[in-house]
Amino acid sequence: MAHSYTPGLRVTAHATIRKERRLPIAGHVVVEQGAAVRAEDEVARAELPGDVDTVNVVNQLGIPPGELASYMLKKQGDAVARDEVVAETRPWLKWFKSAARSPLDGTIETISPITGQVMVRGAPRPVTVRAYIDGTVVEMEEREGVVIETTGAFVQGIFGVGGETSGEVAVVGDGPDAVIGPDDLTDDLAGKIVIAGALITSDVYERASGIGLAALVCGGFHDRDLRRLLGYDLGVAITGHEAIQPILIMTEGFGRIAMAAATYELLASHAGQRASANGATQIRAGVLRPEIIIPRVGERGTAEVADAVVMAGLTPGSHIRIIREPGFGRLGVVKSLPTGIQAVESEAQVRVVEVEFADGTSSIVPRANVEAIES
Amino acid sequence: MKPQDLNVIVATDCGSTTTKAILIERADDGYRQTFRGEAPTTVEAPFEDVTRGVLNALTELEELSGRRILDGERIITPSRDGEGVDIYISTSSAGGGLQMMVAGVVKSMTGESAQRAALGAGAIVMDVLASNDQRPPHEKIERIRTLRPDMVLLSGGTDGGTVTHVVELAEFLAAANPRPRLGSTYQLPVVYAGNRDAREPVAETLKGKAELHFTENLRPVLERENLAPAREEIHELFLKHVMAQAPGYKKLMEWVGAPIMPTPAAVGEIMQTIARRQGINLVGVDIGGATTDVFSVFGEGFNRTVSANLGMSYSVSNVLAEAGLPNILRWVPFDLDEAELRDRIKNKMIRPTTIPHTLEDLKIEQAIAREALRLAFVQHKQLAVSLTGVQRTRTVSEAFDESLAGLTLIDMRTLDLIVGSGGVLSHAPRRAQAMLMMIDAFQPEGVTRLAVDSIFMMPHLGVLSQVHEAAAEEVFVRDCMINLGTCVSAVNRGKAGAKCFDYAFEADGEQRQGTVKVGELKFEPLGEGQTATVRLEPGRGIDLGEGKGREIEAEVLGGVVGLVFDGRGRPIAVPDKERSSVLTQWAQALDAYPA
């Protein structure tokens, strides 16, 4: 097996970060090449075709579809208002008159002589794409979108919920293994991206929501609390569309797990600075992890591009984290990489790694159950 | 090259995460699978070329076999002087496989037939649109717009039947103007397999909005389905459009000596080949990380379903969401805090490649697998049904039984074989674990054989069966399928502790016999290749598949596990209070876990 371990998450102090900002359909780019933009600035916009609704005119008027055209008051392409009559019968006695009305404001799209349906398309829906990060427009694709580039710190979490946001970084609690309470959150944290130790509980989340935090970043979160927060059991790990505030980013996993020291220190060292965060996660081929980006505006770095995929192998001395029981979340260093297959407690025959922990003890772990972390 | 001239065959399956290559060689005693190599699939960034992964897997195959297969980036064909291969074939489910949306007029009639056609062609069905599906038109249009299928199968109306409703469906499609998932430069392929009288107005409605392909009506009359032409058209369009748009597939299509098949379609092929050649009814399952496919062949009837979000890694959390915590916990043989179980399952979801290190973790994972398999089988039974809308004569008992059992084609009492595939079954540390998982999940009735796919090569053999059916079957029987043994089960439940049935048989020259109590699981060894005639005498009121109190004599096949006598009845009930001890006893009967 070429890659029997999980590539680690990116935690980098200096990176050149490029973000593609694309419209869902062709539209207009509203910024210039080379322009400096802020996260909340609009960079492109488009109009999505409006919703379509149908009027079953033949049923409503009690006429055969083939005769529909002669009862129509509107033709294809005509604008109509909600409740405006689009077709009607013309009986001798007005009492027997029946009419079909438009269900919405829009335009008549089709009139079908086969089904007797009239389709009305509503007004186009505007969509805007914002810059998401503070940076510079470095690429433009006409009618499609732009690429924004910035230099700064880049941290990937393991799982998140909620979409893009931005705000100032703030730290609450006494370090990466702290568990904060609701009272630790003060009103001045409104709109901020708050870094908070090993675990966020649901009462802390509720308080954060009441204050109006932009994002909560923590080591872990309990699944039962996530269920409470979302109102359903999350089945498939495709997130980012949840309308929640604050967004939530876990750096380590589910449960109470101290945030990796490197992650915590990096984020804490940027307290007071503006950052962008996105909880969107997608765990399938083409993995998407939640992220926190802290740009250093005006600084053009030569550091590596964060979007690059790092697939370097494990070697003795590599720093790793255990990502499955027993010892989930423990950090250690690769002591050796025995060749060949070994049986572990479950009797599974697997490739293993010998890991040495800070207390001097060591243990044999399946290679699939460790992830490389940056030292 | 003629099939009989094929001596060396290399086959790959380009899965969503791994590309698996196998080498099949002809020796004096026939075809054998000899070596296997694998490498990560390279459809996604940064590689975006499926052939990189194929070349890497073939390179590993070269290293392991010592046979030169590649000349640079070219597969050497035909084989000569111990180099190269005679044919290269492949299946693919990379990039999400084939994702389709289907439409029919009546949901339970043409809608269901269309669904069966698409599933049989190896697709994941994203939604079934029907005139009577209760959704208002604007919701249907919005749904079509938001889904981005690779292809749409539009059906509806028997020949000479409704035109209006079919055209209405086409109008919804036209209004939504959906874009294909891969590539924005081509129009969405739509296969029309409905009322032939509606062809012209459908074509008029979809003009300029979709690339329309006509094929025979998949339900020409209510009494008959005609799914093959639609399936073939879907295959062809899959290669022409979907595959051709996926990164690197144009090149891959030039390398292969037979059309690339969607992985589930290939597995379906091999299942049908085996059932036909051996004259048996079978159920097959492939439980993956993201999806679980179930196949069944009963007589002439073949069905396949895919449970798109039931799986053991990416979808493991969805098993919890769909089955519910109590259903998973009922298979866990020790006390476990619910909150902890939830966190563990979610941690597997976010780090899907991890494996159970501890025995406790393994048991939890196998508990989840039982529920994933059970749910996938329930979904299969719901779709593998006799045609709705057909008048049929019913017996008195059928008339009283309006439930699913009256309609489903899955008859557990006539089922001969259950074949399991996928990591959690194929790679279970002890084969008895796989056998127990399958018995608990599928709950076979009467006498049923069980087997697992040794190293997941059914897709490869499925595509091979298109080229050389006999070779595919030879390899399937010798190297792919591992017989686990036979399960003998009571169909109904009796009084706890009372006699369920007595058994007696002769093996290795000695007479073996015993009594199975109600609620008990017993095991008898019977090795691979061995057969025996078992005489079964049921207890009072017990049904062993042929009626209450009726004695049975049955031929049973041994395997790497042996014979399992199951007195638990159906459905299996795990007692709440004594859960741990009962589950432990059942596992001990088969020596499923280390002490």
Side-chain angles (χ1 to χ4, degrees), chain B residues 331-343:
Chain B
W331 300 114
V332 178
F334 46 84
D335 290 330
L336 186 64
D337 177 48
E338 289 189 10
E340 196 193 333
L341 178 61
R342 283 184 159 278
D343 285 344

Side-chain angles (χ1 to χ4, degrees), chain B residues 151 186 189 211 213 233-246 250 253 260:
Chain B
M151 207 185 294
Y186 73 104
E211 192 190 299
H213 297 260
E233 191 66 35
I234 293 167
H235 273 168
E236 205 159 298
L237 290 171
F238 172 69
L239 292 173
K240 201 167 132 196
H241 285 284
V242 185
M243 285 273 101
Q245 299 296 327
K250 272 187 185 145
M253 285 156 83
I260 300 169

Side-chain angles (χ1 to χ4, degrees), chain B residues 152-435:
Chain B
V152 172
L153 173 61
L154 176 59
S155 72
T158 51
D159 282 338
T162 178
V163 170
T164 319
H165 288 94
V166 186
V167 176
E168 186 185 64
L169 291 168
E171 284 174 356
F172 294 153
L173 258 181
N177 197 13
R179 312 306 308 156
R181 185 170 58 104
L182 300 167
S184 52
T185 53
Y186 73 104
Q187 284 190 326
L188 180 77
V190 173
V191 177
Y192 178 73
N195 180 2
R196 61 173 176 235
D197 296 346
R199 283 184 177 192
E200 210 176 300
V202 164
E204 188 59 33
T205 309
L206 290 173
K207 202 167 141 188
K209 299 274 174 66
E211 192 190 299
L212 193 57
H213 297 260
F214 291 110
T215 178
E216 288 171 44
N217 192 348
L218 53 78
R219 195 80 183 261
V221 288
L222 271 185
E223 291 74 19
R224 188 167 61 85
E225 274 183 341
N226 177 31
L227 305 181
R231 278 180 183 160
E232 276 159 30
E233 191 66 35
I234 293 167
H235 273 168
E236 205 159 298
L237 290 171
F238 172 69
L239 292 173
K240 201 167 132 196
H241 285 284
V242 185
M243 285 273 101
Q245 299 296 327
Y249 277 83
K250 272 187 185 145
K251 211 187 320 174
L252 189 69
M253 285 156 83
E254 287 166 15
W255 291 0
V256 289
I260 300 169
M261 288 178 85
T263 304
V267 177
E269 278 301 324
I270 191 71
M271 295 276 179
Q272 289 178 86
T273 303
I274 300 311
R276 190 174 54 242
R277 290 181 80 100
Q278 298 188 6
I280 55 172
N281 293 332
L282 69 80
V283 164
V285 63
D286 174 18
I287 177 165
T291 63
T292 297
D293 284 3
V294 180
F295 306 83
S296 66
V297 188
F298 278 81
E300 295 293 305
F302 166 68
N303 276 287
R304 175 216 165 213
T305 49
V306 54
S307 300
N309 288 320
L310 292 175
M312 291 306 296
S313 62
Y314 300 115
S315 305
V316 69
S317 179
N318 201 53
V319 179
L320 169 68
E322 287 198 22
L325 206 56
N327 274 330
I328 291 175
L329 275 172
R330 71 183 164 138
W331 300 114
V332 178
F334 46 84
D335 290 330
L336 186 64
D337 177 48
E338 289 189 10
E340 196 193 333
L341 178 61
R342 283 184 159 278
D343 285 344
R344 281 197 197 201
I345 291 175
K346 282 289 188 301
N347 281 324
K348 168 83 180 181
M349 173 188 79
I350 58 177
R351 290 181 167 104
T353 55
T354 60
I355 53 171
H357 182 170
T358 63
L359 194 56
E360 193 179 279
D361 235 8
L362 180 76
K363 289 175 181 173
I364 294 173
E365 197 144 311
Q366 294 184 346
I368 301 167
R370 281 169 168 85
E371 283 303 299
L373 292 168
R374 180 183 68 80
L375 289 171
F377 195 40
V378 167
Q379 289 178 6
H380 185 80
K381 283 179 183 169
Q382 283 168 349
L383 198 73
V385 291
S386 52
L387 299 183
T388 316
V390 180
Q391 287 194 347
R392 49 196 281 263
T393 324
R394 288 182 298 180
T395 62
V396 175
S397 63
E398 276 177 334
F400 281 102
D401 183 10
E402 288 294 336
S403 67
L404 181 75
L407 294 168
T408 187
L409 300 174
I410 309 301
D411 179 2
M412 298 306 283
R413 296 184 191 205
T414 61
L415 175 63
D416 299 297
L417 172 67
I418 302 174
V419 187
S421 183
V424 72
L425 295 174
S426 295
H427 299 146
R430 295 188 185 187
R431 297 287 188 197
Q433 292 163 7
M435 189 157 181

Side-chain angles (χ1 to χ4, degrees), chain B residues 443-591:
Chain B
Q443 307 210 2
E445 298 176 3
V447 180
T448 317
R449 278 160 53 201
L450 292 106
V452 288
D453 178 358
S454 60
I455 53 164
F456 192 59
M457 62 166 108
M458 285 202 279
H460 310 78
L461 300 183
V463 66
L464 177 60
S465 73
Q466 300 283 288
V467 181
H468 194 338
E469 191 174 294
E473 198 206 354
E474 260 180 53
V475 178
F476 183 83
V477 172
R478 291 164 154 192
D479 299 314
C480 172
M481 194 166 81
I482 293 180
N483 286 311
L484 297 172
T486 302
C487 177
V488 176
S489 330
V491 171
N492 58 345
R493 271 193 254 160
K495 200 176 160 196
K499 181 179 106 172
C500 189
F501 58 88
D502 291 326
Y503 63 84
F505 66 99
E506 198 183 301
D508 298 324
E510 65 175 271
Q511 187 67 27
R512 295 193 220 157
Q513 57 190 35
T515 298
V516 180
K517 289 182 187 161
V518 170
E520 191 184 24
L521 208 56
K522 268 202 161 175
F523 169 76
E524 288 283 352
L526 188 67
E528 243 188 313
Q530 283 186 289
T531 55
T533 305
V534 182
R535 289 174 301 284
L536 300 156
E537 193 187 304
R540 195 180 166 82
I542 295 294
D543 181 358
L544 291 169
E546 296 197 357
K548 281 183 185 174
R550 290 191 65 171
E551 290 181 18
I552 291 181
E553 201 169 86
E555 278 290 309
V556 294
L557 184 70
V560 293
V561 180
L563 301 183
V564 175
F565 294 102
D566 187 350
R568 299 175 298 175
R570 298 293 179 260
I572 297 171
V574 187
D576 237 6
K577 281 185 185 162
E578 302 137 358
R579 186 187 81 207
S580 296
S581 65
V582 168
L583 288 175
T584 305
Q585 279 170 27
W586 291 346
Q588 278 172 350
L590 271 78
D591 192 25

Side-chain angles (χ1 to χ4, degrees), chain A residues 1 49-50 52 54 112 115 117 121 125 222-223 233-235 252 254 283 289 324 345-347 350 369, chain B residues 38 137-138 145 171 175 201 314 317-318 339 342-343 346-347 350-351 353 355-357 359 361 365 430:
Chain A
M1 300 238 282
V52 176
T54 57
S112 172
T115 61
Q117 287 203 114
R121 190 176 289 277
R125 282 181 289 172
H222 284 302
D223 180 46
D233 244 329
L234 183 85
E252 318 301 316
F254 285 87
I283 306 166
R289 296 286 188 186
R324 180 127 186 185
E345 187 201 309
S346 63
E347 294 187 337
V350 292
N369 293 358
Chain B
E38 67 177 42
H138 70 271
R145 231 160 85 162
E171 284 174 356
Y314 300 115
S317 179
N318 201 53
R342 283 184 159 278
D343 285 344
K346 282 289 188 301
N347 281 324
I350 58 177
R351 290 181 167 104
T353 55
I355 53 171
H357 182 170
L359 194 56
D361 235 8
E365 197 144 311
R430 295 188 185 187

